[in-house]
């Protein structure tokens, strides 16, 4: 049935393209705040995928800014205000929505570096394990899958109402540390000079961020999937990934950090772990010139 559905969707896209139809507008959520740069790569990747799939769709940002949970609610409702969202997967999300199972950031979202107060840069110097981290408190968005992943390992994690509140809590000493992805942390540290990046550890849990669409819109999911597969095959996916992340990953100095592995109880069984080309590992950096 999935193969037949993909074939039908592909036929519909070809017919529409042949008819010279105007591109269908799809709405992608605008970032939660004006200084939130996290959505820039997702938007660029979506535009690349839709261009590679034949240009049947055109992306526009939503008129209003949205927190992640609101964007997902809008997407599931089929209101038309949001047509596609890029976010971390979970079993619940894959049941409620239709995922395109090609990891947007090659699993990079599961590699987590640590923000600290600038006067506490040595706080985690002696941390060697998850048990060591349990002495310190952190926070994650109340609707972020990371909240449950960290709590599953017994860590002290406060639920956060809004993204920007994370930095105020950290600076005020209400939490000790904040785990952030490689593509978030350097920009966030630059915007908050009172904070510092821990040089000693990196957390890792296997997870993926996907594009999700409403379950009643398989044609859009198929267009994104086909476009991403083409971009993987012709190297344009890798070039876009490197353009956004290569310098940050070199700066991360994985070779100098202790890796603390965490299990992910939210990882769906359909995650394409066997496709090694879809996933980033620190060893990739050694193979680059």
């Amino acid at each position: 049935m999935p193969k037949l559905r993909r074939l039908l969707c592909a036929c519909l896209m070809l017919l529409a393209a042949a008819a010279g139809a105007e591109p269908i507008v799809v709405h992608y959520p605008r970032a939660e705040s004006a200084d939130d740069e996290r959505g820039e790569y997702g938007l660029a990747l979506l535009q690349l995928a839709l261009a590679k799939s034949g240009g049947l769709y055109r992306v526009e940002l939503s008129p209003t800014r949205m927190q992640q949970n609101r964007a997902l609610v809008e997407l599931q409702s089929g209101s038309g205000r949001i047509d596609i969202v890029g976010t971390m997967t979970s079993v619940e999300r894959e049941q409620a929505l239709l995922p395109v199972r090609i990891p947007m950031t090659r699993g990079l979202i599961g590699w987590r570096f640590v923000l600290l107060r600038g006067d506490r840069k040595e706080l985690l110097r002696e941390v060697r394990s998850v048990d060591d981290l349990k002495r310190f408190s952190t926070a994650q968005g109340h609707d972020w899958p990371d909240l449950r992943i960290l709590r599953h390992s017994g860590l002290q994690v406060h639920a956060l109402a809004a993204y920007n509140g994370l930095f105020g809590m950290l600076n005020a000493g209400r939490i000790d540390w904040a785990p952030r992805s490689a593509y978030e942390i350097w920009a966030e540290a630059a915007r908050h000079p009172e904070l510092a990046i821990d040089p000693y550890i990196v957390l890792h849990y296997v997870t993926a961020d996907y594009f999700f669409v409403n379950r009643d819109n398989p044609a859009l999911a198929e267009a994104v999937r086909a476009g991403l597969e083409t971009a993987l095959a012709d190297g344009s996916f890798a070039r876009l990934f490197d353009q956004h992340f290569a310098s940050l990953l070199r700066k991360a100095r994985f070779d100098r950090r202790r890796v603390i592995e965490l299990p992910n109880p939210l990882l769906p069984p359909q995650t394409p772990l066997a496709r090694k080309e879809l996933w980033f590992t620190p060893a990739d950096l050694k193979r680059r010139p």
Side-chain angles (χ1 to χ4, degrees), residues 127-140:
V127 167
R128 297 289 188 277
S129 67
V130 176
D131 285 340
D132 293 335
L133 266 182
K134 291 177 182 178
R135 295 182 289 127
F136 307 106
S137 63
T138 185
Q140 294 282 270

Side-chain angles (χ1 to χ4, degrees), residues 72-234:
L72 291 171
V73 168
E74 292 281 2
L75 180 60
Q76 188 174 354
S77 74
S79 66
R81 286 185 282 269
I82 294 294
D83 299 296
I84 186 165
V85 171
T87 191
M88 187 189 294
T89 194
S90 69
V91 171
E92 292 83 358
R93 287 178 175 180
E94 293 197 17
Q95 289 172 344
L97 300 164
L98 188 59
V100 179
R101 292 193 183 95
I102 297 176
M104 297 167 56
T105 60
R106 301 182 60 216
L108 196 57
I109 195 170
W111 290 91
R112 296 283 166 157
F113 299 86
V114 174
L115 271 180
L116 301 166
R117 270 180 32 168
D119 60 355
R120 305 185 76 190
K121 285 189 285 190
E122 299 298 306
L123 182 70
L124 306 183
R125 184 186 184 101
E126 302 305 320
V127 167
R128 297 289 188 277
S129 67
V130 176
D131 285 340
D132 293 335
L133 266 182
K134 291 177 182 178
R135 295 182 289 127
F136 307 106
S137 63
T138 185
Q140 294 282 270
H142 69 95
D143 56 345
W144 300 353
D146 315 80
L147 178 73
R148 290 170 59 190
I149 293 171
L150 297 179
R151 283 180 172 174
H152 179 76
S153 288
L155 299 175
Q156 301 179 53
V157 192
H158 299 280
L160 192 68
Y163 161 70
N164 279 335
L166 182 67
F167 311 104
M169 288 182 72
L170 187 56
N171 193 40
R174 293 171 57 197
I175 58 173
D176 299 308
W177 63 288
R180 309 300 299 144
S181 75
Y183 57 86
E184 296 168 323
I185 194 166
W186 273 273
E188 290 168 343
R191 289 198 304 272
H192 298 276
E194 72 279 8
L195 303 179
I197 299 173
D198 162 77
Y200 299 111
I201 68 171
V202 57
L203 279 68
H204 179 241
Y205 39 90
V206 178
T207 189
D209 42 1
Y210 296 143
F211 289 116
F212 286 86
V213 305
N214 186 282
R215 285 203 160 269
D216 292 332
N217 198 356
L220 176 57
E222 175 58 17
V224 174
R225 186 205 65 79
L228 290 176
E229 291 286 8
T230 299
L232 284 164
D234 68 16

Side-chain angles (χ1 to χ4, degrees), residues 204-271:
H204 179 241
Y205 39 90
V206 178
T207 189
D209 42 1
Y210 296 143
F211 289 116
F212 286 86
V213 305
N214 186 282
R215 285 203 160 269
D216 292 332
N217 198 356
L220 176 57
E222 175 58 17
V224 174
R225 186 205 65 79
L228 290 176
E229 291 286 8
T230 299
L232 284 164
D234 68 16
S236 54
F237 190 125
R239 288 191 293 274
L240 184 68
F241 181 89
D242 285 347
Q243 177 187 332
H244 282 260
F245 304 134
S247 63
L248 300 179
L249 293 173
R250 286 193 293 270
K251 191 186 299 186
R253 294 309 305 263
F254 285 89
D255 57 321
R256 296 183 179 180
R257 296 176 181 273
R258 294 181 291 277
V259 179
I260 297 178
E261 294 283 352
L262 303 181
N264 179 2
L266 309 182
L267 192 69
Q270 301 90 340
T271 306

